[in-house]
Amino acid sequence: MIVYGVPHEADPTGRPVGSRVPAADHPLVLVPDGTAPAHHSGRVLLGTDARNPSGGTIDFAFDSARVRAALLHVVHAWSLPACAAEWPFGVPERERATWEDHEVQLLADVLRPWREKYPEVPVLEDVVLLTPPQALLHHAETATLVVVGSKPGHEWSKVVRALLHEASCPVAVVPDRTAP
């Protein structure tokens, strides 16, 4: 693991904040400059995609929560299916609820092996109808650590870039690994 300080001020070359930090093949914890606000909850926040989970990222988040004796707040952001845009009078509540129940079940299924591996870690599962950056930035305001995944050798996603720009707590970027 590498820990790297990231300044919040603009890069003099005009590049986005955090763009000078290379993606790594191992966990990289990015710590923003400045004093963190006092309202942090002690929670570890994990952003995950229940449809395409990263085992290494989830394991890192569970272990981070275990070490800190903290609550692990797992956020899975989802969106309505494309067919919902074609409905002339909006999405009926019954359909929306069915889709959301499916997302909740997906997340529960993904987390089951890690709940068994880390029974001492309390977990709050959160399925939200927002974009991933919106969902994580909303909850990052009170987190002690945010954990997100990244594909090694690839450019960082919009989520990582948004967190680097806005989050006031450390952000752990963990390369995508296989599930347990």
Side-chain angles (χ1 to χ4, degrees):
M1 172 181 353
I2 294 176
V3 178
Y4 187 87
V6 179
H8 265 288
E9 72 274 356
D11 186 321
T13 65
R15 291 181 295 179
V17 174
S19 64
R20 44 194 184 275
V21 181
D25 291 333
H26 46 277
L28 182 61
V29 179
L30 303 159
V31 182
D33 253 356
T35 307
H39 65 279
H40 285 237
S41 65
R43 291 181 182 191
V44 172
L45 177 63
L46 167 62
T48 192
D49 179 355
R51 295 179 179 282
N52 188 19
S54 167
T57 305
I58 296 170
D59 193 55
F60 184 92
F62 266 89
D63 193 49
S64 296
R66 179 190 60 80
V67 167
R68 291 169 176 77
L71 172 72
L72 178 60
H73 185 175
V74 182
V75 174
H76 165 60
W78 70 287
S79 58
L80 295 172
C83 67
E86 299 171 7
W87 293 3
F89 301 108
V91 177
E93 185 60 30
R94 176 181 287 162
E95 294 295 324
R96 187 191 150 306
T98 300
W99 291 328
E100 186 169 14
D101 288 348
H102 178 71
E103 299 296 324
V104 168
Q105 188 60 54
L106 282 174
L107 182 59
D109 291 346
V110 164
L111 296 178
R112 187 170 295 111
W114 283 277
R115 283 179 169 263
E116 292 170 3
K117 182 177 178 181
Y118 297 97
E120 69 278 15
V121 175
V123 179
L124 170 62
E125 295 178 18
D126 201 353
V127 175
V128 295
L129 186 57
L130 294 169
T131 65
Q134 289 172 329
L136 289 175
L137 285 172
H138 174 72
H139 292 294
E141 294 174 0
T142 58
T144 300
L145 173 68
V146 178
V147 180
V148 293
S150 172
K151 294 188 184 301
H154 290 82
E155 198 165 313
W156 284 348
S157 69
K158 291 187 294 187
V159 174
V160 173
R161 290 180 190 277
L163 286 167
L164 288 178
H165 184 62
E166 299 288 331
S168 62
C169 66
V171 176
V173 182
V174 181
D176 194 5
R177 306 262 190 231
T178 58

